């Protein structure tokens, strides 16, 4: 009987590029412009990225495209979202029946709070040039900054597993 061993070091390898995008565009408009410039077909995914935090649960919008020819998957993910909590005021006064709604800003990757979106390109061995993609994305109007994220500096890598 043969013995099979698993090397867990293989699971730690990062096989994606992450590009941060700063823009005031809505997610669907950004996806439209990225589709035009990169000749891909990002579409709104029903599977949003779910994150559980102490304030509650939130979902980040996601646009997805899988390129069959190159076996590359593209994800455009929102980085900023709001979590609304309802709180009942414990003080009895004239306005005691009112409910307070407190909203908190939540980030997919808290260490990159200024980035509005991330473009995650998976299964890119040597077929994709992230610098070329960054340069192309910089030509889109209303994008103020685009840069490649050093994946070794990401502390919340588990939020990118979906």
């Amino acid at each position: 009987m043969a013995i099979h061993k698993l090397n867990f070091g293989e699971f730690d390898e990062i096989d994606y590029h992450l590009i941060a995008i700063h823009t005031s565009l809505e997610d669907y408009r950004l996806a439209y412009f990225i589709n035009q410039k990169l000749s891909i077909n990002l579409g709104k995914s029903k599977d949003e990225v779910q994150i559980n935090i102490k304030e509650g649960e939130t979902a980040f919008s996601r646009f997805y495209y899988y390129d069959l020819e190159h076996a590359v998957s593209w994800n455009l993910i929102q980085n900023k979202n709001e979590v609304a909590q309802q709180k009942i005021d414990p003080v009895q006064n004239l306005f005691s029946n009112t409910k307070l709604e407190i909203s908190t800003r939540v980030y997919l990757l808290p260490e990159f709070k200024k980035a509005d979106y991330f473009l995650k390109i998976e299964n890119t061995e040597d077929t994709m040039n992230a610098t070329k993609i960054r340069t192309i994305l910089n030509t889109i109007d209303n994008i103020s900054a685009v840069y490649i994220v050093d994946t070794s500096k990401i502390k919340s890598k588990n939020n990118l597993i979906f």
Side-chain angles (χ1 to χ4, degrees), residues 3-137:
I3 297 175
H4 298 283
K5 292 184 181 181
L6 291 176
N7 183 2
F8 290 112
E10 293 175 6
F11 296 111
D12 291 338
E13 293 179 14
I14 296 174
D15 62 342
Y16 60 86
H17 293 292
L18 195 64
I19 300 173
I21 301 171
H22 297 251
T23 183
S24 60
L25 290 171
E26 293 291 326
D27 54 1
Y28 63 92
R29 290 191 41 99
L30 179 61
Y32 172 77
F33 291 128
I34 290 173
N35 286 342
Q36 281 186 327
K37 295 288 184 175
L38 296 177
S39 299
I40 60 175
N41 193 16
L42 287 168
K44 181 84 169 160
S45 175
K46 293 177 185 173
D47 300 326
E48 294 183 329
V49 180
Q50 299 284 332
I51 301 291
N52 291 320
I53 54 170
K54 63 182 178 187
E55 289 87 4
E57 184 176 309
T58 187
F60 296 92
S61 69
R62 175 181 171 214
F63 287 77
Y64 178 75
Y65 170 67
Y66 184 73
D67 183 3
L68 286 171
E69 184 179 331
H70 298 103
V72 174
S73 64
W74 299 75
N75 288 284
L76 177 66
I77 313 122
Q78 175 185 26
N79 186 41
K80 300 176 182 177
N81 205 351
E82 298 280 331
V83 174
Q85 294 177 309
Q86 295 211 350
K87 204 175 186 183
I88 298 173
D89 194 6
V91 179
Q92 294 293 326
N93 58 21
L94 181 62
F95 306 104
S96 64
N97 290 335
T98 60
K99 292 182 181 178
L100 299 173
E101 188 169 298
I102 301 170
S103 69
T104 307
R105 183 158 284 215
V106 181
Y107 302 93
L108 180 70
L109 297 179
E111 52 270 26
F112 297 99
K113 290 183 178 180
K114 293 189 178 185
D116 297 303
Y117 298 95
F118 290 106
L119 184 63
K120 181 182 175 188
I121 310 165
E122 295 180 272
N123 301 329
T124 60
E125 294 172 8
D126 292 327
T127 57
M128 293 287 159
N129 184 352
T131 307
K132 184 178 177 183
I133 293 170
R134 180 185 56 85
T135 305
I136 292 169
L137 290 177

Side-chain angles (χ1 to χ4, degrees), residues 141-160:
D141 292 339
N142 296 328
I143 289 184
S144 56
V146 177
Y147 55 91
I148 299 169
V149 175
D150 184 5
T151 52
S152 65
K153 294 183 178 177
I154 301 173
K155 296 176 185 170
S156 49
K157 290 180 185 174
N158 290 342
N159 294 349
L160 292 173

